[in-house]
Amino acid sequence: MLDFTKEKSNCMGCSACYAACPVQCIKMEPDEEGFLYPTASPKCIHCEKCKRICPIATPNVEEGGMAFQKSAWCAVTKKYRIWKRSASGGAFSEICKAFGDDETIICGAAWDGLRVHHVCVKGVRNIAALCKSKYVASNPENVFAEIQQYLKGGKKVVFCGTPCQVAGLKRYIGNQDKNLLLIDLICHGVGSQKVFEACVNSLSKQFENNIVGYEFRAKGRVYETDHLQKITSDNGNKLLVQNDPYMQLFLKQLSLRPSCGGNCHFRIENRVSDITIADFKGVSKVFPKLYLSKRNFSSIIIHTEKGNLLLEQLKKNMVMYSCTIDDIKEHNPLFYRQTWIAHNRDDFFADFISNEKGAISKWCCEASEYKLSWKGKIWCLLPNIIRRQLIRFVQKKHSK
Ligand SMILES: Cc1cc2nc3c(=O)[nH]c(=O)nc-3n(C[C@H](O)[C@H](O)[C@H](O)COP(=O)(O)OP(=O)(O)OC[C@H]3O[C@@H](n4cnc5c(N)ncnc54)[C@H](O)[C@@H]3O)c2cc1C
C-alpha cells in the first residue's frame, strides 16, 4: 500500500488508488491540515495496484499531445449569461456545449454547501453548478469509478479538473477513450477545505450572519477584478467581500496542499489532457485592442486532435483570437513552470492546528464589505470608446 505519511508532497489526493483498489480497502481521509490522503484498512492484499496506478509513484510514459501541433486562443463566450457564471471567459461551458448534448455526462467541481467536491451531471444544460473556480481542494468522491461505468455504457463524458486530477483519471481509465474529453486547468494549487471553513466561520462572526453560500470571483455586469467574493447568509442576504481571509492565505501560498506550489509534477507544457483552460493573462499586451474590455477572457490551449475537432463549433459560440503558446507561457508561466510554496507555510499550519480561530486573525487582515461607488457604477456603464478617451485625457493631464 502507498504510504504518504512521510512524504505528503508525493500525494495530490486524486483518488486513482482509491478507485482502483480491487478489495476496496482504501479510504480517502482528511489529515489535520484538512487535505485528503489514502489510508488502507487491514483488508489490503498487497497487490500493489495502487502503486502502479498512481501517476507519481509510477511516473507517466504517455506524452500527451506531443506529436500534435498545439494551438492557443484567447476567447470569450458570446453569451453574457455564460460569461457571468464563469470565472474567466466561459471556455469550460462552451467546450462542454461543443462536445456534448443532453445525454453527455459532465464531471466537475461543485459546491455541496460550503464543501467542494466533484460530481457528474447529465446533459450540458445542467452544468451551471460546475461553473466557476472554487479555489479549495475538491473531494473526488467516487467519480472515477462512475466515469468508467458511463464510458462502458457508451456515454460521452467530459471531465474537468486540476492537472493532477486529470492525470489520475487518465491513468485509471487506461487507454484514451474516444468518448472521454479531458479538460485541465492552469493551476496555482489547491487550498485546504478545513482552512476554508475556518475562514468562512470568521466571516460569519465578523458580519454577524451565518454564511451558507460562497462564490469566488464574483462578477458584476462588467469585469472589474478577480478579487471579490460573494457570501450568502441563511437569511438570504448577499454581500461582496474584499480582502477575504481565505483568498489572502491562498494567494500567499500559505494554505496550499504540500503537493502543489513547487512540488507539482503536472505543471508541464505537454499535458495529458485534450484541452487546457485558464485565465487569459496579459490580454492588453498580447491584444492591445482588448484593453479595457468589459469582459475577461479565457486561455484555451488545444493539445489533441480530439480537442481540435471542437474548434469550429467554439468559433461559432465564442469570440476567439489566435495567439501563440509562447504568449501563454510569457504571461501565465504556471502553464509550464513551477511556482513556490510559502517558506512559512508550515508555521501557518502549526498555528492553525493548535488554534483555528487565532491563526486566521493572526495571519490575515480583516475583510471588508465592498460597495461600488457611484463613480464606479457610471464608469462601468460607459461605452469602451469613451472609457479609452477619458483615460487618455487623464494620462495627458498627468504627463504635463
Ligand atoms: C484551484 C484552481 C487554481 C487555478 N489557478 C489558476 C492560475 O493560477 N492561473 C490561471 O490562469 N487559471 C487558474 N485557474 C483556472 C481559472 O480559475 C478558471 O477556472 C479557468 O480559467 C476556467 O474558467 P472558465 O470561465 O472557462 O470556466 P468556469 O465555468 O469558471 O469553469 C471552471 C471549471 O473548473 C473546475 N473547477 C472549479 N473548481 C475546481 C477545483 N477546486 N478543483 C478542480 N476543478 C475545479 C470546474 O469543474 C469547472 O469545470 C485555477 C482554477 C482552479 C480551480
Side-chain angles (χ1 to χ4, degrees):
M1 165 60 195
L2 292 164
D3 179 10
F4 292 112
T5 47
K6 290 184 203 87
E7 203 34 88
K8 289 192 166 175
S9 63
N10 279 340
C11 174
M12 67 280 184
C14 73
S15 86
C17 55
Y18 159 79
C21 177
V23 292
Q24 286 95 43
C25 80
I26 298 180
K27 272 192 189 159
M28 299 296 292
E29 288 186 319
D31 70 350
E32 50 190 2
E33 294 181 347
F35 295 108
L36 296 176
Y37 291 91
T39 53
S41 75
K43 265 182 21 189
C44 176
I45 53 168
H46 305 283
C47 67
E48 308 262 295
K49 192 162 183 197
C50 51
K51 269 193 195 159
R52 289 194 303 276
I53 210 133
C54 171
I56 291 188
T58 312
N60 226 335
V61 285
E62 296 163 65
E63 293 180 334
M66 269 176 92
F68 179 78
Q69 180 69 43
K70 293 170 196 280
S71 65
W73 303 85
C74 169
V76 63
T77 170
K78 291 181 182 167
K79 289 220 160 91
Y80 169 74
R81 184 180 53 83
I82 293 182
W83 172 79
K84 184 99 187 322
R85 74 178 188 201
S86 309
S88 315
F92 165 69
S93 295
E94 293 297 356
I95 293 168
C96 291
K97 274 166 60 189
F99 180 76
D101 55 26
D102 284 348
E103 292 300 311
T104 304
I105 304 299
I106 324 274
C107 182
W111 289 107
D112 171 17
L114 293 168
R115 269 182 73 241
V116 180
H117 66 161
H118 258 67
V119 288
C120 293
V121 300
K122 187 176 161 202
V124 288
R125 276 189 214 175
N126 299 315
I127 61 174
L130 312 181
C131 291
K132 276 233 165 141
S133 307
K134 295 105 190 155
Y135 296 108
V136 180
S138 171
N139 184 332
E141 308 278 6
N142 215 16
V143 292
F144 285 13
E146 261 184 74
I147 289 173
Q148 193 176 52
Q149 286 311 312
Y150 285 124
L151 291 170
K152 278 187 183 157
K155 294 261 188 225
K156 282 171 114 181
V157 179
V158 181
F159 178 86
C160 181
T162 56
C164 54
Q165 288 172 330
V166 170
L169 175 63
K170 189 154 178 186
R171 184 57 77 77
Y172 174 70
I173 297 294
N175 282 338
Q176 179 69 296
D177 190 304
K178 72 174 184 351
N179 281 338
L180 175 64
L181 184 79
L182 295 172
I183 307 173
D184 71 356
L185 307 159
I186 294 183
C187 180
H188 161 106
V190 291
S192 153
Q193 173 71 47
K194 199 169 168 190
V195 171
F196 174 73
E197 283 169 26
C199 289
V200 172
N201 284 341
S202 90
L203 287 177
S204 287
K205 207 170 149 217
Q206 182 185 342
F207 293 109
E208 294 172 356
N209 268 322
N210 185 25
I211 295 169
V212 291
Y214 184 100
E215 183 184 336
F216 288 98
R217 296 176 63 170
K219 282 180 178 174
R221 280 199 66 74
V222 167
Y223 173 68
E224 288 168 64
T225 164
D226 285 339
H227 299 296
L228 292 179
Q229 329 306 326
K230 192 189 274 177
I231 53 176
T232 308
S233 309
D234 54 1
N235 58 13
N237 280 350
K238 290 184 194 293
L239 208 73
L240 283 178
V241 172
Q242 59 188 0
N243 279 332
D244 167 71
Y246 180 77
M247 277 319 264
Q248 290 180 48
L249 296 167
F250 181 72
L251 293 173
K252 286 189 222 153
Q253 320 279 81
L254 282 165
S255 61
L256 295 190
R257 189 176 174 99
S259 57
C260 302
N263 297 320
C264 177
H265 293 235
F266 305 95
R267 204 177 270 131
I268 48 170
E269 190 173 339
N270 287 312
R271 305 281 178 121
V272 294
S273 63
D274 297 297
I275 302 180
T276 297
I277 57 174
D279 294 308
F280 197 97
K281 305 225 166 142
V283 70
S284 56
K285 298 222 168 66
V286 185
F287 300 103
K289 66 180 173 190
L290 299 181
Y291 177 52
L292 284 184
S293 171
K294 291 188 174 182
R295 302 275 181 268
N296 61 335
F297 292 79
S298 294
S299 297
I300 301 180
I301 302 137
I302 299 184
H303 301 284
T304 62
E305 190 53 45
K306 194 195 288 177
N308 201 41
L309 289 174
L310 308 179
L311 202 50
E312 285 317 305
Q313 191 57 38
L314 287 177
K315 282 183 183 166
K316 287 186 191 147
N317 294 339
M318 303 187 88
V319 180
M320 295 182 77
Y321 304 94
S322 168
C323 66
T324 64
I325 299 284
D326 285 343
D327 291 327
I328 306 279
K329 285 162 85 174
E330 182 180 351
H331 299 285
N332 204 346
L334 295 192
F335 173 49
Y336 75 110
R337 209 198 285 152
Q338 289 297 9
T339 171
W340 45 282
I341 212 156
H343 66 92
N344 46 358
R345 174 203 182 275
D346 291 347
D347 299 337
F348 162 72
F349 270 107
D351 280 351
F352 179 75
I353 290 161
S354 67
N355 176 0
E356 289 188 10
K357 269 192 215 156
I360 303 301
S361 46
K362 177 176 163 192
W363 289 77
C364 305
C365 59
E366 201 170 69
S368 54
E369 185 180 352
Y370 174 82
K371 279 202 175 122
L372 195 56
S373 66
W374 63 266
K375 279 186 197 161
K377 283 184 189 154
I378 294 176
W379 176 247
C380 287
L381 291 172
L382 291 175
N384 273 353
I385 185 156
I386 300 187
R387 294 182 348 142
R388 278 197 204 105
Q389 276 168 1
L390 277 173
I391 286 191
R392 265 188 227 126
F393 173 75
V394 173
Q395 281 169 343
K396 254 191 200 166
K397 219 172 147 190
H398 280 280
S399 65
K400 274 181 192 163

